[in-house]
Amino acid sequence: MSSISRDDVARLAQLARIDLSDVELDRLAGQLTAIVDAVAQVSQVATPDVPATSHPVPLTNVFRADEVRPPLGQEAALAAAPAAEGGRFRVPQIMGEEP
Amino acid sequence: MSEPVELMDVDQALEQFDPAFGIEVHVELNTKTKMFCGCPTEFGAEPNTQVCPVCLGLPGALPVVNAKAIESAIRLGLALNCSIAPRSRFARKNYFYPDLAKDYQISQYDEPIAFDGYLDVELDDGTVVRVAIERAHMEEDAGKNVHVGGATGRIQGAEYSLVDYNRGGIPLVEIVTRTVEGMGERTAEVARAYVATVRDLAKALGISDVRMEEGSLRADVNLSLRAKAADGEDQHAVPLGKRSETKNVNSLRAVERSIRHEIGRQAALLAAGGAVTQETRHWHEDTSMTTPGRSKEEAEDYRYFPEPDLLPVAPSKEWIEELRGTLPESPALRRHRLQESWGYTDLEMRDAVNADALELIEATVAAGASAASARKWWMGELARTANNDGVELADLAATPAQVAELQGLVDSGRVNDQLARQVLEGVLAGEGSPGEVVAARGLEVVSDDGALLAAIDEALAAQPDVAAKIRDGKVQAAGAIVGAVMKATRGQADAARVRELVLTKFGLEG
Ligand SMILES: [Zn+2]
């Protein structure tokens, strides 16, 4: 059975940029283990004749033609931005490297 | 930084180590609209003028796949000799960076659209190396950051950053090679030729502008070293060292130079008893060096999961075969065919390829010029002009049809070589077609014998001593008269005809 350790939760929290206290880490490790184990039960009923699915809608190839639609315009695009400068979104100092 | 700056000489490094490399090439597709929305994709537009709720990642916006992007990806996959997946899906790649509006990039992970292919890469000396392709998958591009404050405009020391999402959401195909090993001293050359071949292929397919300087073709280069086996030791038993991934390698020259740099850097580290760190590095064109980024272990946890907002892509066999029918001749085959039909030497052909002149020469020949004269213009006068102006041949004002017309004027004797250069000057200055320039500038060769004879008489009268020599049968003395006539007609006489007329006048044979 799968199990989510406290370290796993801490790492996920760090990747998701969520600040968790020690108490929360302990609590979530237990809860997430229960959730993952419950989901794992699905794999017991999955048999080779049941195709894996990532989507409940039985459709494929939903495409659009390569035709331009009018974009928002700079003013509208930046209207809800907390800060903007020279037509660009202004963001705080980036800590760390480019991805 | 505790990094050693000493590099081992590459030749010395290659005596002790065998390099292995892999390359990820990002090809930006030239669709009119973005991957998942109808925003235009023009390069160089004002910031944030080609954005909408979808590519800004606003709540509630839903992506819809661009059919043309799928078509381009399949054609590229087929041209890379890949299998096309009967069913592939998109996935979310999660990371936090301001150029990513949604905090995830829509990409493909476990089900790429194309996989298991290869590309035959021809080196300068004609050697062909087959590079195995692991996969080619679709994804969307990110926006662009500008860092403000600090001295260098780099991220270090910046006070804040500004983001333009115009590029965000433009379709990309990322082509991933399998590891290439055993190339020894030709490692860097093979890597460069591979990227050049991908570029030529994408260009021939017409699916991308493939301008490395504008970022529509970008490469990340992985490199690691394997120590050479000692005598009697099995080479396969020697483990491959840790690899570095160099980002931002955005010219063919940089591909070659960054590989040589990494070979020298890693070899120096290993030889000194150190270890290579598995990490991302950044290439700096100005200093020809790489500097470390994040260590790979930290960076690679992207928590991929299937994109719930998009349905699977399942191209029918019929569609795939239809697209296979649209594939152009491979660039290598095309080069061989053209070289044979044009009768160029290997060197002439290589020069034309390197100058990006094949299409221009081909069009010039199609417009009626001989292959030799097309080469003479494009690789001579026109290449010099392009070089002086710092532009590409294709960006010059002269078209293949005009070059063919100019050569036609030379062949019919209406202009001589010297006049032809003046005509070309006029064409390049935008004065019109060669015919128009000849008329406007009055550059036509004087073919009226009466006018030439008058000029000859004048020259003979001016140089009686020369006239006497010719009368005595000294044929070579006629050169002075021809020269004088050419001068008097400002180069517009046909020198051969003048000479003929001078000699006939004295009853001599040329
Ligand atoms: Zn958009």
Side-chain angles (χ1 to χ4, degrees):
Chain A
M1 275 285 106
S2 47
S3 170
I4 304 289
S5 72
R6 193 177 184 281
D7 283 350
D8 290 336
V9 179
R11 176 154 168 68
L12 282 169
Q14 190 245 326
L15 287 167
R17 307 291 194 273
I18 301 171
D19 195 13
L20 296 179
S21 67
D22 286 352
V23 179
E24 287 169 318
L25 286 177
D26 286 330
R27 194 175 71 230
L28 284 170
Q31 288 182 352
L32 285 172
T33 298
I35 292 168
V36 169
D37 288 350
V39 172
Q41 287 176 8
V42 174
S43 62
Q44 291 169 6
V45 294
T47 55
D49 55 309
V50 179
T53 178
S54 58
H55 212 285
V57 186
L59 283 174
T60 57
N61 299 339
V62 176
F63 302 145
R64 43 168 260 276
D66 185 25
E67 284 161 12
V68 173
R69 288 194 205 175
L72 277 181
Q74 196 185 70
E75 204 176 320
L78 295 170
E85 188 177 309
R88 295 179 171 87
F89 292 85
R90 179 175 164 159
V91 299
Q93 188 179 35
I94 301 170
M95 310 300 282
E97 289 288 334
E98 311 249 352
Chain B
M1 233 175 291
S2 60
E3 287 235 321
V5 275
E6 279 300 313
L7 300 183
M8 190 185 284
D9 171 70
V10 174
D11 292 330
Q12 194 191 337
L14 290 169
E15 282 169 22
Q16 301 173 39
F17 300 98
D18 194 21
F21 72 91
I23 298 185
E24 292 162 18
V25 173
H26 291 84
V27 178
E28 198 176 86
L29 301 179
N30 60 2
T31 49
K32 289 204 271 300
T33 66
K34 293 187 179 180
M35 184 81 213
F36 302 114
C37 62
C39 287
T41 54
E42 300 297 328
F43 181 81
E46 286 297 304
N48 295 305
T49 54
Q50 302 186 153
V51 293
C52 73
V54 173
C55 54
L56 285 176
L58 299 186
L62 286 172
V64 187
V65 173
N66 182 340
K68 182 77 180 175
I70 301 285
E71 181 187 299
S72 297
I74 293 175
R75 291 178 70 232
L76 181 55
L78 290 171
L80 292 166
N81 304 292
C82 285
S83 301
I84 302 302
R87 192 183 172 92
S88 73
R89 62 179 173 185
F90 291 97
R92 289 188 183 179
K93 178 181 179 179
N94 299 276
Y95 65 90
F96 295 93
Y97 205 70
D99 62 9
L100 209 56
K102 302 187 290 291
D103 285 344
Y104 60 84
Q105 176 190 32
I106 304 179
S107 180
Q108 293 194 297
Y109 184 54
D110 52 349
E111 295 182 6
I113 192 159
F115 57 96
D116 281 349
Y118 63 85
L119 187 59
D120 285 333
V121 173
E122 191 174 329
L123 306 183
D124 268 356
D125 68 354
T127 309
V128 175
V129 176
R130 179 161 290 189
V131 174
I133 307 290
E134 183 182 318
R135 57 189 278 156
H137 67 254
M138 295 178 289
E139 60 185 29
E140 56 176 340
D141 211 342
K144 254 186 188 159
N145 295 328
V146 184
H147 306 298
V148 182
T152 56
R154 284 201 194 144
I155 190 167
Q156 290 85 359
E159 287 158 36
Y160 57 92
S161 299
L162 299 173
V163 194
D164 169 14
Y165 289 110
N166 280 350
R167 199 180 66 182
I170 290 184
L172 297 176
V173 176
E174 178 177 335
I175 305 164
V176 183
T177 66
R178 294 195 186 282
T179 303
V180 181
E181 277 192 81
M183 294 297 135
E185 59 181 22
R186 306 199 79 167
T187 302
E189 187 190 356
V190 172
R192 178 199 171 114
Y194 167 74
V195 176
T197 308
V198 170
R199 181 197 62 178
D200 294 348
L201 192 63
K203 190 174 181 188
L205 285 161
I207 59 165
S208 171
D209 300 336
V210 290
R211 287 180 193 269
M212 292 190 88
E213 70 283 5
E214 287 180 4
S216 55
L217 189 98
R218 315 197 281 271
D220 298 340
V221 183
N222 298 315
L223 188 110
S224 58
L225 297 180
R226 192 198 293 274
K228 287 210 171 160
D231 282 340
E233 198 184 351
D234 179 10
Q235 181 67 62
H236 294 286
V238 181
L240 198 58
K242 290 216 166 131
R243 71 190 160 92
S244 63
E245 178 178 2
T246 305
K247 300 251 183 197
N248 195 26
V249 188
N250 292 338
S251 71
L252 292 179
R253 202 167 74 118
V255 171
E256 195 161 356
R257 293 202 305 166
S258 66
I259 283 203
R260 292 178 67 82
H261 172 82
E262 275 299 294
I263 289 174
R265 188 187 68 86
Q266 294 189 12
L269 271 174
L270 295 170
V276 175
T277 314
Q278 183 148 331
E279 64 188 356
T280 301
R281 299 183 68 87
H282 299 279
W283 172 250
H284 303 284
E285 190 69 46
D286 45 356
T287 52
S288 301
M289 282 179 59
T290 63
T291 56
R294 288 179 308 185
S295 71
K296 257 321 219 189
E297 287 89 334
E298 285 303 307
E300 261 191 345
D301 202 338
Y302 291 123
R303 293 163 293 138
Y304 282 98
F305 62 87
E307 167 57 83
D309 290 341
L310 290 168
L311 293 158
V313 175
S316 67
K317 279 206 172 85
E318 293 72 33
W319 190 28
I320 294 172
E321 287 319 306
E322 187 191 318
L323 292 176
R324 196 191 300 279
T326 69
L327 296 187
E329 184 182 19
S330 90
L333 281 178
R334 175 163 177 263
R335 275 201 304 276
H336 288 297
R337 175 177 60 78
L338 291 176
Q339 183 176 3
E340 193 158 316
S341 96
W342 294 346
Y344 289 4
T345 65
D346 288 350
L347 183 65
E348 288 169 348
M349 196 64 191
R350 197 177 313 148
D351 287 347
V353 169
N354 289 339
D356 237 341
L358 289 194
E359 243 162 87
L360 296 165
I361 293 174
E362 194 178 20
T364 307
V365 171
S370 70
S373 59
R375 194 182 69 79
K376 182 190 74 185
W377 289 114
W378 286 109
M379 299 307 296
E381 205 68 17
L382 288 162
R384 263 193 297 282
T385 306
N387 198 28
N388 287 342
D389 298 355
V391 298
E392 299 293 322
L393 275 179
D395 297 333
L396 291 175
T399 64
Q402 290 170 337
V403 173
E405 184 189 338
L406 178 61
Q407 183 59 36
L409 294 175
V410 174
D411 292 342
S412 67
R414 282 187 60 197
V415 299
N416 55 28
D417 282 349
Q418 196 187 338
L419 289 172
R421 273 195 286 278
Q422 293 179 45
V423 175
L424 188 60
E425 218 178 84
V427 171
L428 287 170
E431 292 170 24
S433 72
E436 287 163 354
V437 175
V438 166
R441 290 198 181 188
L443 291 175
E444 203 150 355
V445 163
V446 179
S447 51
D448 168 11
D449 283 354
L452 291 179
L453 284 168
I456 289 169
D457 287 342
E458 220 167 280
L460 288 170
Q463 302 180 70
D465 49 329
V466 176
K469 280 184 188 164
I470 302 174
R471 197 167 291 119
D472 290 345
K474 295 214 169 82
V475 175
Q476 62 271 38
I481 301 302
V482 175
V485 172
M486 293 304 288
K487 201 171 168 190
T489 57
R490 297 189 347 269
Q492 280 170 249
D494 175 353
R497 180 66 187 149
V498 175
R499 184 181 159 81
E500 205 173 282
L501 289 172
V502 172
L503 295 179
T504 312
K505 196 175 175 71
F506 292 97
L508 296 167
E509 290 289 319

